[in-house]
Every structure is written in structure tokens, then in C-alpha cells.
Amino acid sequence: MTESKACMEMAEQNLLHTYNRYPIVLEKGEGVYLYDTDGKKYLDFAAGIAVQSLGYGNRELNEAIKEQVDLLMHSSNLFYNVPIARAARRAVAASGMERVFFTNSGTEAIEGALKAARKYAFQKDGRRDHEIIAMEHSFHGRSLGALSVTGNAHYREPFEPLLPGIRFAVFNDLASVEALVNEKTCAILMETVQGEGGIYPAEPEFIRGVQAVCEKNDILLILDEIQCGMGRCGELFAWQYYGVKPDIMTCAKAIGCGVPAGAFFLNEKVASRSLVPGDHGTTYGGNPLVGAAVDKVFEIFEREKIPAHAKEMGAYLAEKLEGLAEEFPCITARRGMGLMQGLVLTVPVGEVVNRARDNGLLVITAGSDVLRLVPPLIIEKAHVDEMIEKLSRALRQVL
Ligand SMILES: *Cc1c(COP(=O)(O)O)cnc(C)c1O
């Protein structure tokens, strides 16, 4: 039996079957390429689901992590540690937010954001029946709290009852948000650019309108930047493009570029009137190992101007995708911002993903009919050209 086959069998015999995995075993990465255990090379336009923004084998990042492994990996939040203090300083300065809490994942960042919003509202009026407005087709994670605000009934139903007081509005429909606002509303939560739901950027008038509704009613605006943030959409955070600013922001995925990390950020208004000692915590969150990685990620992003590069490459990618859509009538729309792009297909998107993989290209899906392109942010035009060529071939094979 081949090594890859043995691995797949071992995994299927022991791991809980919650994923239908693609039948390859990835072994190593280099730049924007991945290699499987059979030695096959793939151009990676998935980036571990928008995580590996610096690609693979970034020397500087890897060295920083390795040095910290030898020094101290974990110490708990009962003590201070230098790497996370530095990471927090960089994260706060880069975001323009005022406080940060580090988590181990995006889901946990959402949990923290929801708790901060509830506590803020509780401090204000003492009510214990606050409501949160979230969006249809949103995705915020799989824990019970994050699931409660995820706008996909199919994901939610088997796990009900979930959090009470969650109301769903229609993304990009301001009137639908306004219709749900009442004296109990404490927060409005949305992804700045919806990811899993099918790559839908917020309309500028919508997100600005939501912010105005929040300001008028002292409702907190929570923006989930877990997928669209960290430079992916051409700004460090996608809200910067719209000229809005959240009260609370969640971040994860690329913030650790491979090291499991997340964070929620707060402005001073919320930070000073919400979570206090005893209200929230984590054993691993923000440990020295993660701190070293996050600090280095922000340093590299700043020095190498990664968001600006993503903007430039995103424009090139969008142009090439438009060309592809002209050539292939099975592509009915292109949506996205920067290096977070989606193609709406009338042919089975899973088959296109499979043929692309055969051709040495990794892409993923979003929603039921969207091909999602979320490459490392360090790609160059030649990689876009190579992707287009491989994807064209895959599309021809499916037609
Ligand atoms: C991935 C994702 C999450 C969940 O993050 P995990 O790290 O998987 O827990 C939440 N929100 C958005 C927008 C995401 O893309």
C-alpha cells in the first residue's frame, strides 16, 4: 500500500468523520506551492482556508517560532510574557482599535465578542434579555454561541436550542436591519465580506448605514474580519476600505499564518465598560509561542506592505477572472475584494475543484455554487496566470 493510502485509511479509522476530505495527503509547502506524499506539486489558491497568507516556509516567521519553542512555549495568562505584550502592541497600533484579547481560534474570538457586547449592554441598563442582530448566510464558527449567530439554519437546527435573542437580517438590506432594531438590541454582527456564505462584500451604503443605526441607538457594531481581514481584501482590515470602524472586531485565520490564533479587538468605549477580571479567560490563548508568531506576522505585513500587494494582485486576479467569465458561460458572476474572490458556477463546483486538483491547483468552495479563491497574499502575477491556465483546463474537463 502506498504511504498516502495508508495515511488516509489510518485517519478514517480513527478521526471522527466530520469532514469529507479530498483524497490527497499534504506533506510540505514552499512559497505558494504544496506537495503531497506522492511528490505531486500543487499551486495553492486555498491557503489552508485563507490562513497561510505569507505562504509556506517563510524563513523569518519560522525562525521566530523555532526560537520561541526553545525559549518558552506556554506560561498561562497568570503571568506576563514578552512575545504577547509585543504582539498586542503591534496589533493595537496596526488596527487602530484600543484593546485586544487573544484566543485560539476564530470561533473563540466570536464568543469573546458576544460576551463583551452583552456585558457592555448589561452594565448600561441591567437587562438580561438583550438581542443581537446577525445576518443571513453568515458564518461565525461552530461552537454553540458562534453557531447561534451563524445564518445557516441547516448548521443550526440539529443543535437547538441555541442562544436566545438572535435575529437574522438580510445582508446588504439596510431596511431589514432597521426593522429588527428595538430597545433590547445590543449589537449588530456581520462579516465585512461574507466568506463561507459565498463571497459577498458589504455594499458601502449598507455597512455605513448599519454603522449609523448603531451610533444612533448605542448599539455595538461587531465586524467579523476572521477571513476578510489581515490584508486579504487590500487593506489590513476590510472595514478600512469602507471608512467605517467597528466597536468590536474579530480576527483569526491569517493572524498566526499557521499557528492557531485568534483575537477580538475592542475600542476603549467597550473595553472600559465590559469584561473585567473574572469575566473571561483562556488557558492557551495568547501564549508565548503564539505571541512570537503573531508579533512576527504583523511585523512582516507592515514591512513588506502585504495589504498593498494583495490589493495590486487582487486587481490583476479580478481582471483575469473577468476574462475567464467571458470565455466560459458556466461562470455567471465574479464577486470579491482583493485576494478574496469567488466565481459563481452553473456546473457542479465540486467537480471543478476535483479536476483543478488533478491539474495541480488547489481551490475550495463557498456556499453551494461558488468557487473560492483565497491564495497566499504573496502571490505574483505569474501565479495568477498559472492558476487561470489550470482552472481553464479544469472547466473544459467538466463541461
Ligand atoms: C473561519 C471563520 C470563523 C471560524 O474560525 P475558526 O478559526 O475556524 O474557529 C469565523 N468567522 C469567519 C468569517 C470565518 O471565516
Side-chain angles (χ1 to χ4, degrees):
M1 197 168 14
T2 63
E3 189 189 344
S4 57
K5 193 125 189 293
C7 168
M8 288 187 253
E9 271 193 30
M10 183 159 61
E12 288 306 334
Q13 274 165 19
N14 297 287
L15 289 171
L16 184 65
H17 192 90
T18 52
Y19 281 96
N20 292 315
R21 294 167 203 269
Y22 299 126
I24 58 172
V25 182
L26 293 172
E27 185 174 57
K28 62 174 185 185
E30 179 109 36
V32 298
Y33 293 93
L34 281 166
Y35 297 82
D36 69 16
T37 46
D38 298 326
K40 188 173 158 86
K41 182 180 180 181
Y42 302 89
L43 174 62
D44 182 22
F45 266 59
I49 319 185
V51 166
Q52 297 288 346
S53 288
L54 295 175
Y56 304 92
N58 182 295
R59 277 296 116 225
E60 200 184 339
L61 176 60
N62 288 6
E63 289 309 324
I65 294 168
K66 285 184 208 171
E67 265 176 42
Q68 194 59 44
V69 166
D70 285 336
L71 212 54
L72 179 67
M73 281 200 272
H74 180 80
S75 56
S76 90
N77 284 306
L78 302 178
F79 307 95
Y80 292 95
N81 74 76
V82 173
I84 207 65
R86 289 196 173 135
R89 184 176 58 183
R90 271 195 211 278
V92 162
S95 65
M97 301 293 289
E98 280 148 322
R99 299 275 163 174
V100 61
F101 181 103
F102 287 101
T103 66
N104 307 290
S105 68
T107 301
E108 285 170 78
I110 293 289
E111 295 291 329
L114 297 177
K115 280 180 71 177
R118 280 235 184 129
K119 180 79 192 288
Y120 176 85
F122 177 76
Q123 296 271 98
K124 200 172 64 178
D125 61 18
R127 293 182 80 123
R128 292 187 290 164
D129 59 353
H130 288 113
E131 295 182 356
I132 292 170
I133 300 173
M135 301 296 147
E136 296 286 357
H137 303 294
S138 61
F139 181 83
H140 299 293
R142 303 294 201 146
S143 65
L144 290 169
L147 199 54
S148 301
V149 289
T150 286
N152 181 330
H154 179 72
Y155 286 174
R156 287 198 313 267
E157 273 161 11
F159 306 101
E160 287 173 349
L162 295 171
L163 281 184
I166 310 297
R167 313 271 220 114
F168 289 97
V170 178
F171 192 62
N172 281 334
D173 179 348
L174 187 58
S176 79
V177 176
E178 287 168 331
L180 296 178
V181 172
N182 61 44
E183 72 287 353
K184 294 192 241 175
T185 311
C186 71
I188 301 177
L189 162 68
M190 63 181 179
E191 296 155 88
T192 317
V193 179
Q194 287 193 331
E196 308 294 318
I199 316 291
Y200 288 94
E203 301 283 354
E205 314 81 66
F206 174 71
I207 196 164
R208 289 178 198 143
V210 169
Q211 174 157 60
V213 167
C214 287
E215 272 169 10
K216 187 165 150 234
N217 300 285
D218 196 16
I219 292 169
L220 300 180
L221 176 61
I222 309 176
L223 292 180
D224 182 345
E225 291 261 340
I226 291 169
Q227 188 161 161
C228 62
M230 292 306 292
R232 178 153 298 278
C233 291
E235 305 287 342
L236 185 59
F237 295 105
W239 50 261
Q240 292 167 328
Y241 164 83
Y242 295 97
V244 299
K245 196 172 177 191
D247 297 292
I248 305 175
M249 164 176 73
T250 57
C251 192
K253 290 197 163 87
I255 199 173
C257 279
V259 170
F264 62 96
F265 294 72
L266 313 101
N267 62 17
E268 193 58 36
K269 175 179 93 170
V270 182
S272 62
R273 298 188 190 86
S274 59
L275 303 176
V276 295
D279 278 341
H280 200 54
T282 165
T283 299
Y284 266 127
N287 80 8
L289 177 64
V290 161
V294 172
D295 184 36
K296 189 52 87 175
V297 165
F298 274 104
E299 184 192 329
I300 296 172
F301 265 58
E302 213 169 294
R303 193 187 62 228
E304 308 292 330
K305 301 187 171 54
I306 299 290
H309 182 72
K311 183 177 271 181
E312 191 191 335
M313 289 302 124
Y316 185 72
L317 174 61
E319 179 193 320
K320 290 286 156 176
L321 292 175
E322 293 291 345
L324 201 67
E326 268 169 40
E327 192 184 332
F328 290 92
C330 66
I331 302 173
T332 55
R334 175 200 66 84
R335 288 194 294 263
M337 258 172 86
L339 290 175
M340 182 171 177
Q341 296 284 334
L343 292 176
V344 183
L345 303 183
T346 55
V347 291
V349 61
E351 274 182 48
V352 177
V353 167
N354 289 340
R355 290 297 80 73
R357 196 175 57 250
D358 295 343
N359 291 327
L361 169 67
L362 298 185
V363 286
I364 52 178
T365 65
S368 57
D369 60 353
V370 178
L371 186 89
R372 175 167 30 163
L373 301 151
V374 284
L377 305 185
I378 57 163
I379 57 161
E380 297 294 342
K381 286 182 179 176
H383 301 123
V384 174
D385 295 343
E386 183 185 340
M387 182 280 290
I388 292 287
E389 187 211 307
K390 291 189 152 107
L391 184 57
S392 306
R393 203 182 317 147
L395 286 166
R396 280 195 295 272
Q397 284 164 334
V398 170
L399 285 176

